[in-house]
Amino acid sequence: CPWQGPYHELTVHEAECTHPTKTGNELMEILDEMDQTRKKEMQLYNSIFSLLSFEKIGYTEVQFRPYRTDDFITRLYYETPRLTVLNQTWVLKARVNDSERNPNLSCKRTLSFQLILKSKINSPMECSFLLLEGPYDDVKIHPVIYHFVFSNESNETDYMALPIVDSVECNKLLAAKNINLRLFIFQIQK
């Protein structure tokens, strides 16, 4: 049974748990699902470990600050000050619920982000990058590795989901004055 919780709730869970009545086939399906999840996690961690062997790696603490658009219908968005990683200048932008008209009317919120290269470069720059929780935050983020080839003509990524565990964690982030995360960029050498 994959249940997790405080010890004082264990007896209540044991009384209500359906796992003891499941058939062997049903249990095997659950175990297969757990195995697949574990394999995906291991692939992700192996990918991160292989990125750590790259020659050019940079990271920095980023702080998203809230802003509002001047449009007729104002929209909330977040942006970081300019930051320098791998001798290049970058900015991160984020938006709530992909800038839906009234995210305040929904209790299910998501954040998506975009990485923008502000420096001019001589040749395309292929990068892998990921955002993780900052050292003083307790937000739960599942790491996801993103990939993009930056050039002067294509200097910003699409908006990508910030891989926050759930909407509760997202609301916790949005309730804070600023959102503090850590950005890692890995430059792929040719």
Side-chain angles (χ1 to χ4, degrees), residues 72-133:
F72 176 69
I73 299 168
T74 60
R75 287 184 177 23
L76 175 68
Y77 71 98
Y78 291 82
E79 192 171 311
T80 64
R82 288 179 179 238
L83 43 111
T84 303
V85 180
L86 299 175
N87 297 321
Q88 304 296 334
T89 304
W90 308 85
V91 167
L92 280 162
K93 288 186 177 182
R95 59 188 187 190
V96 182
N97 290 15
D98 280 325
S99 284
E100 79 178 29
R101 191 175 211 138
N102 292 313
N104 57 319
L105 299 179
S106 170
C107 62
K108 193 169 169 99
R109 294 195 180 96
T110 60
L111 271 173
S112 52
F113 75 96
Q114 176 184 49
L115 180 60
I116 303 166
L117 175 64
K118 291 293 190 177
S119 303
K120 294 292 180 205
I121 52 178
N122 297 328
S123 61
M125 183 177 173
E126 189 173 352
C127 296
S128 292
F129 56 95
L130 66 147
L131 278 172
L132 297 175
E133 59 267 16

Side-chain angles (χ1 to χ4, degrees), residues 2-184:
W3 180 82
Q4 292 181 347
Y7 181 75
H8 69 273
E9 292 178 8
L10 179 62
T11 52
V12 173
H13 171 74
E14 285 176 342
E16 297 172 351
C17 185
T18 60
H19 275 75
T21 61
K22 290 192 184 291
T23 66
N25 282 339
E26 290 173 318
L27 290 175
M28 287 307 291
E29 287 175 19
I30 293 168
L31 289 172
D32 282 343
E33 204 173 292
M34 291 168 77
D35 271 352
Q36 291 303 320
T37 302
R38 181 85 175 128
K39 279 181 186 174
K40 285 179 186 172
E41 284 177 0
M42 288 308 296
Q43 286 172 341
L44 173 68
Y45 292 123
N46 287 335
S47 298
I48 291 172
F49 285 129
S50 68
L51 287 174
L52 291 174
S53 68
F54 280 27
E55 183 183 338
K56 293 192 174 186
I57 302 171
Y59 78 93
T60 188
E61 312 302 318
V62 296
Q63 186 176 71
F64 286 96
R65 296 182 183 142
Y67 295 95
R68 296 203 177 275
T69 62
D70 293 334
D71 302 338
F72 176 69
I73 299 168
T74 60
R75 287 184 177 23
L76 175 68
Y77 71 98
Y78 291 82
E79 192 171 311
T80 64
R82 288 179 179 238
L83 43 111
T84 303
V85 180
L86 299 175
N87 297 321
Q88 304 296 334
T89 304
W90 308 85
V91 167
L92 280 162
K93 288 186 177 182
R95 59 188 187 190
V96 182
N97 290 15
D98 280 325
S99 284
E100 79 178 29
R101 191 175 211 138
N102 292 313
N104 57 319
L105 299 179
S106 170
C107 62
K108 193 169 169 99
R109 294 195 180 96
T110 60
L111 271 173
S112 52
F113 75 96
Q114 176 184 49
L115 180 60
I116 303 166
L117 175 64
K118 291 293 190 177
S119 303
K120 294 292 180 205
I121 52 178
N122 297 328
S123 61
M125 183 177 173
E126 189 173 352
C127 296
S128 292
F129 56 95
L130 66 147
L131 278 172
L132 297 175
E133 59 267 16
Y136 305 111
D137 277 346
D138 64 347
V139 66
K140 294 175 183 75
I141 295 179
H142 289 305
V144 172
I145 300 167
Y146 297 101
H147 189 79
F148 194 77
V149 179
F150 292 93
S151 67
N152 290 329
E153 297 77 37
S154 178
N155 65 339
E156 53 188 53
T157 66
D158 291 333
Y159 274 90
M160 299 158 291
L162 183 64
I164 305 168
V165 172
D166 58 26
S167 189
V168 172
E169 289 296 312
C170 187
N171 285 332
K172 213 183 335 180
L173 265 184
L174 294 172
K177 185 177 179 185
N178 294 308
I179 299 173
N180 299 302
L181 299 172
R182 186 173 273 175
L183 170 69
F184 288 85

